[in-house]
Amino acid sequence: MSEDKTNSKAKRAPRVNRADKPAAATGAKAKSVATAGAGGPSASRLIDQRISDLGGWRGEALARVRALILQADPQVTEEWKWNNPVWSHHGIVCTGEAYTKAVKLTFARGASVPDPSRLFNSSLEGNTRRAIDIHEGEEVDGDAFKALVAAAIAQNLTSVKKARSGAHEVGPVKLLSGGNPQIAKGDGDAPVQAYIAAMPGWKHDIGRWIDALVVRAVPGVCKAVKWNSPFYGVAGRGWFLSVHCLTKYVKVTFFRGLSLQPVPSGGTPKSKDARWIDIYEGDALDEAQMTAWVEQAAALPGWAP
């Protein structure tokens, strides 16, 4: 732990924007686990106390990110470890540490978590962790931060599933024309994750971003790999989306895209109801629009090959 960490008290409780109230004020609840010993205060109460003790801009920053974490997934467990707040779901998501000049959110598996909004600005050199340092006067983008938390939880769940199944790394995946991974067809999350892991270069982050977004927008989504492409669908309704790597972009196809509002820009007279978007390296990712399309597409009758 850094020597500049402080527990200095302040006279007032932190102010939080109405949209970002802590969980107790918004109805979100988290399980609480403390390591302070039997009969000691719960982790949530210890976190409350830390926020109150910090006060000022650091207390406000910690209160806000705490609220965003619980909004991203109300099933998150609040813990108190290493004398710091810890948020967990299928493993540690992140810790919250207060220093003299920064509030640091350290993501335990951050190096494996897609970060299209580039929130990570600290601990960038390692192979495992990544962190966000929030300084006085700064405010993390709420929607992007919640998406990052959801992606971190999805990464934890993937790791848990691999551990339970005894999955192990296999030889390198062959890349077909345009750099598209050759993955054997199969149902479930495993072949989709194998495809995403094999997506080359910057396309890998796009694949992880799309997968996390769909999982978040469509609870219980069905997955499969068909024709060397991930497919996403709803049980009993059919497939609504697929992903495919090409040389210079990633193609995201909505099988009933003509019924979406607004209609995605990609399409030809031969594509019938299907419409798509092409994502190039460096493109700005409109998460709100993509989420709206995914939610609309999942509610429509899907495509059955």
Side-chain angles (χ1 to χ4, degrees), residues 158-167:
T158 297
S159 299
V160 168
K161 288 181 176 179
K162 285 184 177 180
R164 288 176 178 173
S165 65

Side-chain angles (χ1 to χ4, degrees), residues 283-299:
D283 277 357
L285 301 176
D286 189 338
E287 182 151 334
Q289 180 60 79
M290 179 65 81
T291 299
W293 276 333
V294 168
E295 290 175 343
Q296 291 176 56

Side-chain angles (χ1 to χ4, degrees), residues 32-46 80:
S32 180
V33 178
T35 58
S42 71
S44 293
R45 291 184 63 184
L46 289 169
W80 186 262

